[in-house]
Amino acid sequence: MASHGVSRTATTGQRTDEQRIAEQKEILKYQELEELIRVKVAERQYTLEVLELTSKLLKKNPEYYTIWNVRRRLLIYGLFSKPSDSSSPSMESPSTSLNDTTKASSEISSSSISEPSAVSTTTPQSPSSQSLGRNGTTLDLIKADLEFLFPIMVEYPKCYWLWNYRLWLLKQANERLGPDIAKELWKRELILVGKMLVRDSRNFHGWGYRRTVVAELESAKLGGKSMVESEFEYTTKMIHAPKGLSNFSAWHRRSKLIPRLLDERKADATARKQFLDDEFDLIVSAMYTDSYPYAQSAWFYYQFLMTTLTDYVGHATITPNFTNDDRVEYVERQLSILRDMLDGAEDCKWIYDALIEYTMALCLMEEREPQVDERADCKAWLEELRKLDPFRSGRWDDLEKSSRV
């Protein structure tokens, strides 16, 4: 799971004859398994046995999105519902247990494969013509499938199809189960994604998934309430975790929660001003003490806070009632802090870049041309940027032209 900052090891190299033979056998087994599933699905055998076969294949190759779709069909048109008289008969074996969906099936011999057959392209009967199965059966199926997915997600945490299928399962719970039962599944999911983000706190798949889970738990259909306060605290926790300062996703999530957080708190102008002060203290203190001050993600959040002051039209989400004088005061204060940061961090390009950007922004806010000392400073900072980051010389040339230094 923790794949950030870890170099990938080479997966190819010289192989022995024994290894090649073993690999060929595995490929043959894989092909036989794939063909067996195609045959059974073409025959519309929407049973636990076929679900078990897809489980075995997906453990080997979770990127096979067609099989995820087959799995959906098995559940929708077979296992979730009781077929009507007009639908195709289900050939479920009475000895097949529900727990088998999470276990590997027995080895499939080539003799068990019938003649090759393409998967039927005929759309199965609409589930609206079928009666839903009992809550208990459907709930057990969903729980078993969620448990089946977890070890695969641990091994392949950035496989889109896994995340998509898991969300699909939970949305099926919304449609097929009572709201109280579905809500408990979503609550368990929030705990799960929290554990996964402990393993890799910067996995953007996990952060995106968490946002979806929280949105469902807050929804009216599940009788939910706002979780903005707890989610904001969660971002604080993740930022203060080891290497949390470089967690782009945590900072991004925090920035998106702030407008709603302040609105729900019914924060007045004084509370909003204090909130902005606290956020600046958090980010500046973090940059000084944790990475001093080289983490790009922290600078992105700092830029977000500054944008609420320098480009307030459409961005003044924290302090909408600030006057221009208020904003000028804050920008001047931050410029002073940035100058102090340079002491001991003369090789940090982010500081020079920010000094130029906000010096020019200050001039625009005060509707004046840069003063002589400001021009000199910006020119000196540009020279440092060219030394520290020569690959972006074109950008520095454009910055010099736009700032007219």
Side-chain angles (χ1 to χ4, degrees), residues 27 82 161 330:
I27 292 172
K82 181 179 179 180
W161 315 114
Y330 267 77

Side-chain angles (χ1 to χ4, degrees), residues 14 19 22 26 74 81 113-114 167 171 216 228 245 272 308 316 334 343 375:
Q14 294 295 327
Q19 288 174 325
E26 286 299 313
L74 293 172
S81 55
I113 307 296
S114 57
L167 274 181
K171 289 179 180 179
E216 288 291 333
V228 67
L245 190 61
R272 287 173 175 272
T308 67
Q334 291 304 314
D343 185 14
R375 289 179 184 274

Side-chain angles (χ1 to χ4, degrees), residues 307-369:
T307 300
T308 67
L309 302 169
T310 61
D311 188 17
Y312 69 98
V313 177
H315 297 99
T317 54
I318 300 178
T319 52
N321 296 323
F322 262 17
T323 65
N324 191 64
D325 290 341
D326 292 331
R327 294 187 290 109
V328 166
E329 178 186 348
Y330 267 77
V331 173
E332 288 177 338
R333 187 189 308 169
Q334 291 304 314
L335 283 171
S336 176
I337 290 173
L338 290 170
R339 288 175 180 271
D340 290 341
M341 270 191 191
L342 275 179
D343 185 14
E346 292 83 359
D347 60 342
C348 178
K349 73 170 188 176
W350 303 108
I351 302 177
Y352 296 110
D353 201 2
L355 280 167
I356 296 171
E357 179 179 355
Y358 302 128
T359 297
M360 293 298 103
L362 181 63
C363 294
L364 288 174
M365 293 165 67
E366 295 182 332
E367 298 180 346
R368 62 175 175 81
E369 291 294 318

Side-chain angles (χ1 to χ4, degrees), residues 34-240:
E34 180 186 24
E35 183 59 27
L36 180 59
I37 292 171
R38 288 179 178 275
V39 169
K40 289 184 176 294
V41 172
E43 295 172 352
R44 297 194 180 187
Q45 296 188 36
Y46 301 148
T47 65
L48 282 173
E49 177 195 356
V50 182
L51 189 72
E52 183 184 346
L53 296 176
T54 65
S55 297
K56 185 172 182 180
L57 182 59
L58 289 169
K59 286 177 182 179
K60 296 176 180 292
N61 181 14
E63 296 285 356
Y64 198 165
Y65 60 86
T66 300
I67 301 301
W68 289 115
N69 288 334
V70 166
R71 199 173 179 91
R72 288 181 175 94
R73 289 171 62 186
L74 293 172
L75 292 173
I76 292 175
Y77 300 107
L79 303 176
F80 277 161
S81 55
K82 181 179 179 180
S84 64
D85 293 338
S86 60
S87 62
S88 300
S90 174
M91 300 176 224
E92 180 177 345
S93 168
S95 63
T96 305
S97 68
L98 179 62
N99 291 334
D100 288 341
T101 60
T102 59
K103 298 177 182 178
S105 62
S106 58
E107 293 297 327
I108 302 169
S109 64
S110 58
S111 60
S112 67
I113 307 296
S114 57
E115 288 299 313
S117 172
V119 176
S120 173
T121 58
T122 305
T123 303
Q125 183 176 345
S126 170
S128 62
S129 66
Q130 301 174 344
S131 60
L132 295 181
R134 290 176 294 107
N135 264 13
T137 302
T138 302
L139 177 61
D140 290 343
L141 280 165
I142 291 174
K143 280 185 175 180
D145 228 10
L146 290 172
E147 291 172 5
F148 158 72
L149 293 174
F150 182 70
I152 307 178
M153 293 177 75
V154 171
E155 187 174 359
Y156 303 95
K158 297 186 178 181
C159 174
Y160 284 98
W161 315 114
L162 277 166
W163 294 99
N164 291 342
Y165 182 78
R166 195 170 185 92
L167 274 181
W168 177 83
L169 275 176
L170 290 162
K171 289 179 180 179
Q172 288 295 306
N174 287 352
E175 295 177 9
R176 299 173 181 274
L177 304 174
D180 292 339
I181 298 174
K183 188 173 183 177
E184 287 304 312
L185 291 176
W186 286 101
K187 283 182 178 179
R188 289 176 56 187
E189 206 66 8
L190 186 62
I191 296 172
L192 170 67
V193 75
K195 291 179 178 179
M196 295 193 76
L197 287 174
V198 168
R199 293 175 64 92
D200 182 3
S201 63
R202 294 179 291 175
N203 183 349
F204 72 90
H205 295 273
W207 279 95
Y209 190 73
R210 185 183 180 92
R211 288 194 295 271
T212 302
V213 172
V214 169
E216 288 291 333
L217 287 171
E218 291 179 321
S219 66
K221 63 178 175 283
L222 296 183
K225 297 179 180 179
S226 173
M227 298 174 63
V228 67
E229 290 283 355
S230 60
E231 282 300 287
F232 189 76
E233 286 302 315
Y234 182 76
T235 66
T236 304
K237 171 187 171 183
M238 299 304 284
I239 288 165
H240 287 120

